[in-house]
Amino acid sequence: MASTNLSALLDPKLAPDKLKPVYLLHGQEAFLVELVASRLTELALDNAPRDFNLDRVQAGEAKIGLLIENARTVPMMAKRRIVRIDGVDRLKDHDLGPLKDYLAAPVDSCLLLLTAAGKRAAPALTRAVNKHGATAEFKPPRERELPGWIDKLAAQRGIVLDSEGRAFLARAIGSDLGKIAAELEKVALYAGERKQIKIEDLRALVADVRIDALYKLTDHLAAGQVEQALVLVDGMLGQGTHPLQIMPLLVRHYSQLLQGVQANARGDDLSDLAASIGVRPFLIRQFIGQVRSFDEPTLEQCLRRLYQTDQMLKSSRLAPGLIMERLMLKLGRAAGTGRGQRQ
């Protein structure tokens, strides 16, 4: 057997008797891993008693030998039992031996589900599964695929978004399907019987996770916590956000902070200023805290660094991730210098 794709696994025509004895579901898009695992579980059970025929454990919680014994146990009042092991990317070498032995000759009366949500499974495990089963690696959708996914997830919740709504959701959340699904669930509950969702509904209910991440990033940089800032940027890049999508947000935010510092020096009301320059109401307190963590020379230096980095991203052959790493180091260093001068 070999790797399979999402369409085949979610095909409504997929029948229980067509299931492979083993599936390995892994990859960065944890939402799809769980979606497909649930789908395969329901297909394999085929209305049989769940309590007697489903074992689900985290890798490392039980010995692999015991789980393999469970896989070989005759199902109760069912054609097939399911053994699901989550987090197989954490399996130790001594666990892989017994598991590979089973994968060489899996039993047809059990569906063995191996998952690594958010991670990539070891190539050796992938090869072992592919002998008699199937593997599927799920990556975040590309930007052009997002509108289609938003339509599917909205339809499952009985609501409809127009093109403006789809664009807003994609821009606010990015390619994290789990977060998109959660926000659509919230919107559907808010709308009640109404099916057509307006852009005003989304603006009122959907938090822009990139803006939230931006505030966390700036908090880390203001405190000189460069390592935490790097982890946050890596996460944003890993979710499919390109650095050139992050840069305008950073420039706008640091520009707002500079306006805040200048207003604070004049004795102006920072809450009024924040509202007038577009800071969202639930972020005003955090914005004011950040304004008081910076001084004007530091923010001017940070903005120069941002403009230089934007040009590098558009013209340099260096990897974008490396350019962003250097930017975080420079911003963290600038904030640290400014903090030292204020003290």
Side-chain angles (χ1 to χ4, degrees):
M1 303 301 172
S3 61
T4 187
N5 58 45
L6 181 65
S7 298
L9 292 169
L10 295 179
D11 187 347
K13 296 179 182 178
L14 181 61
D17 60 353
K18 298 298 183 182
L19 293 176
K20 313 296 184 190
V22 186
Y23 286 91
L24 169 61
L25 311 174
H26 65 127
Q28 193 176 343
E29 186 48 76
F31 176 80
L32 293 180
V33 170
E34 184 57 39
L35 179 69
V36 173
S38 299
R39 158 82 169 149
L40 294 177
T41 297
E42 295 306 318
L43 269 176
L45 282 173
D46 198 21
N47 297 318
R50 178 181 291 264
D51 292 344
F52 300 124
N53 296 293
L54 174 60
D55 295 311
R56 179 177 178 179
V57 297
Q58 286 287 332
E61 286 184 355
K63 292 183 177 180
I64 287 293
L66 177 60
L67 296 173
I68 290 172
E69 284 183 24
N70 289 349
R72 291 188 171 122
T73 301
V74 176
M76 182 175 292
M77 297 181 288
K79 293 181 179 180
R80 189 186 284 108
R81 65 181 295 106
I82 299 101
V83 173
R84 175 172 170 176
I85 307 175
D86 296 322
V88 294
D89 54 292
R90 299 192 299 271
L91 286 174
K92 306 299 182 184
D93 289 342
H94 63 267
D95 291 321
L96 289 176
L99 181 56
K100 286 180 181 177
D101 289 341
Y102 175 82
L103 294 174
V107 297
D108 291 332
S109 60
C110 176
L111 171 67
L112 178 62
L113 271 179
L114 308 173
T115 75
K119 302 289 183 179
R120 193 175 188 186
L125 181 58
T126 300
R127 289 192 296 270
V129 169
N130 278 336
K131 290 179 181 178
H132 297 283
T135 63
E137 181 180 359
F138 301 111
K139 300 177 181 180
R142 297 181 179 89
E143 186 176 352
R144 67 174 182 271
E145 298 171 334
L146 267 181
W149 270 109
I150 291 172
D151 281 343
K152 287 179 186 177
L153 294 170
Q156 290 171 4
R157 288 152 182 82
I159 56 176
V160 177
L161 277 65
D162 59 17
S163 59
E164 187 180 12
R166 288 193 296 271
F168 174 87
L169 206 58
R171 187 171 59 249
I173 297 177
S175 60
D176 189 322
L177 293 179
K179 289 179 180 176
I180 290 174
E183 292 297 334
L184 287 172
E185 192 73 39
K186 183 167 63 176
V187 170
L189 289 172
Y190 171 81
E193 297 296 319
R194 181 162 50 87
K195 302 303 179 187
Q196 187 66 47
I197 301 302
K198 302 176 181 178
I199 187 68
E200 290 78 13
D201 301 324
L202 297 173
R203 286 177 177 149
L205 294 170
V206 176
D208 190 327
V209 297
R210 293 189 304 177
I211 295 297
D212 183 55
L214 196 63
Y215 270 84
K216 290 177 183 176
L217 178 63
T218 313
D219 278 340
H220 289 319
L221 292 172
Q225 299 167 342
V226 176
E227 186 175 339
Q228 291 93 323
L230 287 171
V231 169
L232 201 54
V233 168
D234 283 344
M236 295 173 76
L237 298 180
Q239 291 176 3
T241 303
H242 192 277
L244 286 173
Q245 294 175 291
I246 299 174
M247 293 305 297
L249 298 174
L250 280 170
V251 170
R252 180 173 184 268
H253 185 58
Y254 274 84
S255 298
Q256 287 176 328
L257 289 174
L258 180 58
Q259 292 179 66
V261 167
Q262 293 168 341
N264 194 41
R266 295 192 300 267
D268 295 347
D269 186 292
L270 289 180
S271 296
D272 290 343
L273 171 84
S276 69
I277 61 177
V279 177
R280 297 191 178 189
F282 56 87
L283 291 171
I284 287 178
R285 181 178 296 180
Q286 195 171 352
F287 171 78
I288 292 172
Q290 289 189 356
V291 165
R292 291 170 177 161
S293 298
F294 285 95
D295 58 31
E296 189 169 343
T298 299
L299 287 169
E300 288 175 342
Q301 183 181 357
C302 288
L303 281 166
R304 285 194 295 271
R305 298 291 190 192
L306 287 168
Y307 287 123
Q308 291 166 2
T309 301
D310 186 69
Q311 292 303 309
M312 284 189 68
L313 286 167
K314 293 173 180 175
S315 61
S316 174
R317 293 184 179 181
L318 288 175
L322 178 60
I323 294 175
M324 293 301 291
E325 181 178 334
R326 290 180 178 179
L327 173 64
M328 294 303 106
L329 292 169
K330 290 175 181 176
L331 292 179
R333 194 178 299 125
T337 302
R339 196 167 54 254
Q341 292 173 348
R342 290 191 298 277
Q343 292 172 350

